[in-house]
Amino acid sequence: MGRLVMKFGGTSVADIERIRNVARHVKREVAAGHEVAVVVSAMAGATNRLVEWCREASALHDAREYDTVVASGEQVTSGLLAIALQAAGVNARSWQGWQLPIKTSDAHGSARILDINGEELIKRFKERKEVAVVSGFQGIYPDTGRVTTLGRGGSDTSAVAVAAAIRAERCDIYTDVDGVYTTDPRVVPRARRLDKIAFEEMLEMASLGAKVMQVRSIELAMVHQVRVFVRSSFDKPEDIDPHTAPPGTLICDEAEIMEQQVVTGIAFSKDEAQISIRRVQDKPGVAASIFGPLAEANINVDMIVQNVSEDGRRTDLTFTVARSELSRALDAIEKAAPQIGYKEISADANVAKVSIIGIGMRAHPGVAQTMFRTLSDKGINIQVISTSEIKVSVLIAEEYVELAVRALHSAYELDTA
Ligand code: ADP
Ligand code: ASP
Ligand code: MG
């Protein structure tokens, strides 16, 4: 039998009863002969509370101390799960990021994993049959020895990185849904579970707003060829038949997927804001004069449109940034106003991005047209469009997001029968 990583998200470890349920899932895999490393998130709501405490203590706080505070949520659950496993007769110990260690960059609050040495865990599987319970979300920056965290949702990334480090045959992501759906099942009850989804598609889904997996975890899975299986932690461990495949979604190489839909999924994000700069000079270098100051301020610009100039001298430029960065972005542009030279600037935070995703789009022209027609039939105005090989995104008024997602879900025949 092989080696497994089992990752449990916040709702799956929300209280002691659920942690006991997790312990039974782990025991089931150990009994089946697997060597298991478990990765846990903080209890549901715990990280939000810790983040809020940091803000309350001081709006402008030291990012290293923020990490010290927010990493504590995972320390609690890893210890509790090790206790629950021991109580269930399973040999287990907890590991904090700094103990393993999980070495990361120094980007506190959104650090990247650089290296994990899995050999000690493998040795303990062999010599002691010991289950490793690893705190997700956290690591250490070796040069300073300080605790780091990987950004919200980062336990998914910890799990995939641990799976690569111990050469696990699969990384099971246990969560509060039983797989990856064609769109968020909380918004569209008729969303369908996908049996398989390609890494590239999951990467787009995640970066365009689907919360189910952290973006970075999919990048890592792709690079290290880790097979990721998303499944429900709410199934009773006792009800799972070890001889039949459980319900869930395998995130894998495109080559493994036989039946390809044109559109695989729909994602949406409300973390968007739009900035329009009117009557800017239409001359070489003007885009650089706007986006340069934004890049310097570390603000990511997403969708961009520049209108055709009517008189050849002035034009309008519209782009989007994360909603949380809107005021910083406006600040940066207003400071650079003399160099840019524009008449008027306006901002709108009540916008959202809706995207259709599918590798089948590469071979099928006209996919975007169905999207535009569907939205126009519903009277929804498209403010900005951006496309890539396997996705089309549109920016619309936030109030129409749910309507748009449901209409597109039907238009691309993704609804369950
Ligand atoms: P965890 O705490 O286990 O990490 P998350 O809350 O981070 O869980 O992610 C699971 C949630 O992702 C689901 O409850 C669901 O609402 C949301 N979600 C968004 N898009 C999708 C999708 N396409 N498929 C499945 N879940 C999705
Ligand atoms: N607890 C962290 C968060 O809420 C990490 C995670 O759950 O993946 O963002
Ligand atoms: Mg998550």
Side-chain angles (χ1 to χ4, degrees), residues 7-12 41 153 156 174-177 179-186 205 209-213 266:
K7 181 257 171 179
F8 294 87
T11 33
S12 310
S41 292
D156 297 327
Y174 287 82
T175 182
D176 57 3
V177 275
V180 178
Y181 279 68
T182 45
T183 192
D184 191 338
R186 286 179 208 251
M205 290 275 281
K211 187 185 162 199
V212 61
M213 293 292 294
I266 299 173

Side-chain angles (χ1 to χ4, degrees), residues 162-345:
V162 169
I166 63 169
R167 301 179 291 280
E169 72 179 35
R170 216 176 55 227
C171 179
D172 281 348
I173 304 286
Y174 287 82
T175 182
D176 57 3
V177 275
D178 61 357
V180 178
Y181 279 68
T182 45
T183 192
D184 191 338
R186 286 179 208 251
V187 172
V188 182
R190 304 180 76 174
R192 207 163 11 97
R193 192 182 65 228
L194 299 160
D195 289 334
K196 290 183 179 176
I197 184 169
F199 286 128
E200 288 89 344
E201 291 173 324
M202 192 64 235
L203 195 58
E204 291 284 8
M205 290 275 281
S207 49
L208 295 167
K211 187 185 162 199
V212 61
M213 293 292 294
Q214 200 198 32
V215 177
R216 182 79 189 117
S217 70
I218 306 300
E219 288 171 0
L220 269 188
M222 249 169 117
V223 171
H224 296 284
Q225 288 292 303
V226 176
R227 293 161 72 79
V228 177
F229 187 64
V230 180
R231 57 192 292 183
S232 169
S233 69
F234 296 143
D235 296 335
K236 280 224 176 72
E238 296 72 26
D239 295 346
I240 296 176
D241 174 0
H243 305 293
T244 54
T249 304
L250 183 69
I251 308 174
C252 59
D253 255 353
E254 190 180 329
E256 276 191 58
I257 300 173
M258 304 304 284
E259 267 177 68
Q260 197 59 67
Q261 298 276 25
V262 178
V263 170
T264 305
I266 299 173
F268 55 91
S269 158
K270 295 182 178 176
D271 180 29
E272 308 288 328
Q274 171 187 296
I275 296 177
S276 291
I277 306 182
R278 292 192 212 293
R279 307 215 31 89
V280 279
Q281 300 169 50
D282 195 9
K283 60 171 192 198
V286 69
S289 72
I290 295 170
F291 297 121
L294 291 171
E296 266 162 46
N298 242 326
I299 295 166
N300 225 0
V301 173
D302 181 19
M303 310 168 95
I304 303 175
V305 275
Q306 181 176 344
N307 289 352
V308 176
S309 151
E310 273 175 29
D311 56 5
R313 289 178 27 228
R314 301 225 164 229
T315 182
D316 297 344
L317 211 129
T318 297
F319 56 90
T320 64
V321 296
R323 202 175 285 177
S324 53
E325 300 201 311
L326 178 59
S327 60
R328 283 208 311 123
L330 288 173
D331 233 35
I333 292 167
E334 274 155 17
K335 278 201 189 102
Q339 292 84 302
I340 305 170
Y342 60 84
K343 268 263 157 44
E344 202 187 309
I345 182 165

Side-chain angles (χ1 to χ4, degrees), residues 35-70:
E35 297 173 340
V36 179
V38 190
V39 174
V40 286
S41 292
M43 290 180 174
T47 310
N48 286 347
R49 191 162 57 240
L50 296 167
V51 169
E52 196 45 47
W53 281 343
C54 290
R55 276 204 203 110
E56 261 181 52
S58 168
L60 275 180
H61 45 254
D62 184 336
R64 292 162 300 189
E65 303 307 347
Y66 165 93
D67 277 351
T68 305
V69 175
V70 299

